[in-house]
mmCIF file of all heavy atoms in Angstrom:
data_model
loop_
_atom_site.group_PDB
_atom_site.id
_atom_site.type_symbol
_atom_site.label_atom_id
_atom_site.label_comp_id
_atom_site.label_asym_id
_atom_site.label_seq_id
_atom_site.Cartn_x
_atom_site.Cartn_y
_atom_site.Cartn_z
ATOM 1 N N GLN A 77 58.846 44.166 -76.386
ATOM 2 C CA GLN A 77 59.129 44.182 -74.955
ATOM 3 C C GLN A 77 60.228 43.174 -74.630
ATOM 4 O O GLN A 77 60.719 42.454 -75.506
ATOM 5 C CB GLN A 77 57.856 43.881 -74.153
ATOM 6 C CG GLN A 77 56.805 44.979 -74.256
ATOM 7 C CD GLN A 77 55.594 44.733 -73.380
ATOM 8 O OE1 GLN A 77 55.486 43.726 -72.688
ATOM 9 N NE2 GLN A 77 54.643 45.672 -73.410
ATOM 10 N N MET A 78 60.613 43.134 -73.353
ATOM 11 C CA MET A 78 61.665 42.230 -72.900
ATOM 12 C C MET A 78 61.452 41.922 -71.431
ATOM 13 O O MET A 78 60.652 42.583 -70.742
ATOM 14 C CB MET A 78 63.044 42.878 -73.083
ATOM 15 C CG MET A 78 63.231 44.132 -72.248
ATOM 16 S SD MET A 78 64.833 44.927 -72.536
ATOM 17 C CE MET A 78 64.714 46.344 -71.414
ATOM 18 N N LEU A 79 62.145 40.896 -70.941
ATOM 19 C CA LEU A 79 62.255 40.662 -69.508
ATOM 20 C C LEU A 79 63.338 41.597 -68.991
ATOM 21 O O LEU A 79 64.492 41.517 -69.402
ATOM 22 C CB LEU A 79 62.610 39.207 -69.221
ATOM 23 C CG LEU A 79 61.569 38.168 -69.645
ATOM 24 C CD1 LEU A 79 62.101 36.757 -69.420
ATOM 25 C CD2 LEU A 79 60.254 38.363 -68.898
ATOM 26 N N ALA A 80 62.970 42.480 -68.082
ATOM 27 C CA ALA A 80 63.871 43.572 -67.722
ATOM 28 C C ALA A 80 65.149 43.103 -67.055
ATOM 29 O O ALA A 80 66.184 43.767 -67.154
ATOM 30 C CB ALA A 80 63.140 44.553 -66.802
ATOM 31 N N PHE A 81 65.117 41.944 -66.378
ATOM 32 C CA PHE A 81 66.296 41.546 -65.615
ATOM 33 C C PHE A 81 67.328 40.812 -66.458
ATOM 34 O O PHE A 81 68.343 40.367 -65.946
ATOM 35 C CB PHE A 81 65.891 40.686 -64.411
ATOM 36 C CG PHE A 81 65.099 39.449 -64.772
ATOM 37 C CD1 PHE A 81 65.735 38.238 -64.969
ATOM 38 C CD2 PHE A 81 63.725 39.501 -64.888
ATOM 39 C CE1 PHE A 81 65.018 37.100 -65.289
ATOM 40 C CE2 PHE A 81 62.988 38.363 -65.201
ATOM 41 C CZ PHE A 81 63.635 37.158 -65.396
ATOM 42 N N GLU A 82 67.086 40.656 -67.745
ATOM 43 C CA GLU A 82 68.075 40.156 -68.698
ATOM 44 C C GLU A 82 68.663 38.808 -68.263
ATOM 45 O O GLU A 82 69.854 38.686 -67.981
ATOM 46 C CB GLU A 82 69.197 41.190 -68.853
ATOM 47 C CG GLU A 82 70.070 41.004 -70.084
ATOM 48 C CD GLU A 82 71.043 42.167 -70.277
ATOM 49 O OE1 GLU A 82 71.413 42.832 -69.282
ATOM 50 O OE2 GLU A 82 71.411 42.423 -71.433
ATOM 51 N N PRO A 83 67.835 37.759 -68.180
ATOM 52 C CA PRO A 83 68.357 36.472 -67.704
ATOM 53 C C PRO A 83 69.487 35.959 -68.582
ATOM 54 O O PRO A 83 69.378 35.972 -69.807
ATOM 55 C CB PRO A 83 67.135 35.544 -67.775
ATOM 56 C CG PRO A 83 66.194 36.207 -68.736
ATOM 57 C CD PRO A 83 66.423 37.675 -68.584
ATOM 58 N N PRO A 84 70.580 35.504 -67.981
ATOM 59 C CA PRO A 84 71.685 34.951 -68.778
ATOM 60 C C PRO A 84 71.201 33.766 -69.595
ATOM 61 O O PRO A 84 70.435 32.927 -69.101
ATOM 62 C CB PRO A 84 72.698 34.509 -67.714
ATOM 63 C CG PRO A 84 72.370 35.335 -66.512
ATOM 64 C CD PRO A 84 70.895 35.522 -66.547
ATOM 65 N N PRO A 85 71.607 33.653 -70.854
ATOM 66 C CA PRO A 85 71.102 32.587 -71.713
ATOM 67 C C PRO A 85 71.688 31.233 -71.337
ATOM 68 O O PRO A 85 72.797 31.140 -70.815
ATOM 69 C CB PRO A 85 71.572 33.008 -73.111
ATOM 70 C CG PRO A 85 72.824 33.790 -72.838
ATOM 71 C CD PRO A 85 72.587 34.512 -71.544
ATOM 72 N N ALA A 86 70.917 30.204 -71.585
ATOM 73 C CA ALA A 86 71.377 28.820 -71.432
ATOM 74 C C ALA A 86 70.434 27.975 -72.264
ATOM 75 O O ALA A 86 69.218 28.018 -72.069
ATOM 76 C CB ALA A 86 71.356 28.386 -69.972
ATOM 77 N N ALA A 87 70.967 27.244 -73.217
ATOM 78 C CA ALA A 87 70.135 26.459 -74.121
ATOM 79 C C ALA A 87 69.280 25.475 -73.341
ATOM 80 O O ALA A 87 69.789 24.699 -72.538
ATOM 81 C CB ALA A 87 71.010 25.715 -75.117
ATOM 82 N N GLY A 88 67.963 25.540 -73.549
ATOM 83 C CA GLY A 88 67.049 24.642 -72.867
ATOM 84 C C GLY A 88 66.541 25.162 -71.539
ATOM 85 O O GLY A 88 65.777 24.477 -70.850
ATOM 86 N N SER A 89 66.942 26.364 -71.150
ATOM 87 C CA SER A 89 66.530 26.921 -69.864
ATOM 88 C C SER A 89 65.026 27.154 -69.815
ATOM 89 O O SER A 89 64.394 27.508 -70.815
ATOM 90 C CB SER A 89 67.264 28.237 -69.622
ATOM 91 O OG SER A 89 66.845 28.845 -68.418
ATOM 92 N N THR A 90 64.428 26.970 -68.635
ATOM 93 C CA THR A 90 63.010 27.249 -68.418
ATOM 94 C C THR A 90 62.862 28.468 -67.520
ATOM 95 O O THR A 90 63.771 28.813 -66.753
ATOM 96 C CB THR A 90 62.305 26.044 -67.768
ATOM 97 O OG1 THR A 90 62.855 25.840 -66.457
ATOM 98 C CG2 THR A 90 62.478 24.784 -68.609
ATOM 99 N N ILE A 91 61.687 29.076 -67.566
ATOM 100 C CA ILE A 91 61.470 30.272 -66.748
ATOM 101 C C ILE A 91 61.444 29.918 -65.269
ATOM 102 O O ILE A 91 61.890 30.707 -64.429
ATOM 103 C CB ILE A 91 60.169 31.005 -67.181
ATOM 104 C CG1 ILE A 91 60.101 32.397 -66.529
ATOM 105 C CG2 ILE A 91 58.942 30.181 -66.847
ATOM 106 C CD1 ILE A 91 61.223 33.324 -66.947
ATOM 107 N N GLY A 92 60.991 28.716 -64.922
ATOM 108 C CA GLY A 92 61.034 28.315 -63.528
ATOM 109 C C GLY A 92 62.453 28.192 -63.016
ATOM 110 O O GLY A 92 62.756 28.596 -61.884
ATOM 111 N N GLY A 93 63.341 27.647 -63.848
ATOM 112 C CA GLY A 93 64.743 27.545 -63.460
ATOM 113 C C GLY A 93 65.388 28.909 -63.307
ATOM 114 O O GLY A 93 66.213 29.124 -62.413
ATOM 115 N N VAL A 94 65.021 29.847 -64.171
ATOM 116 C CA VAL A 94 65.548 31.209 -64.078
ATOM 117 C C VAL A 94 65.187 31.823 -62.733
ATOM 118 O O VAL A 94 66.035 32.395 -62.039
ATOM 119 C CB VAL A 94 65.006 32.076 -65.231
ATOM 120 C CG1 VAL A 94 65.294 33.552 -64.992
ATOM 121 C CG2 VAL A 94 65.618 31.641 -66.558
#
Side-chain angles (χ1 to χ4, degrees):
Q77 293 184 359
M78 63 183 180
L79 296 175
F81 57 94
E82 197 172 27
S89 177
T90 65
I91 192 63
V94 168

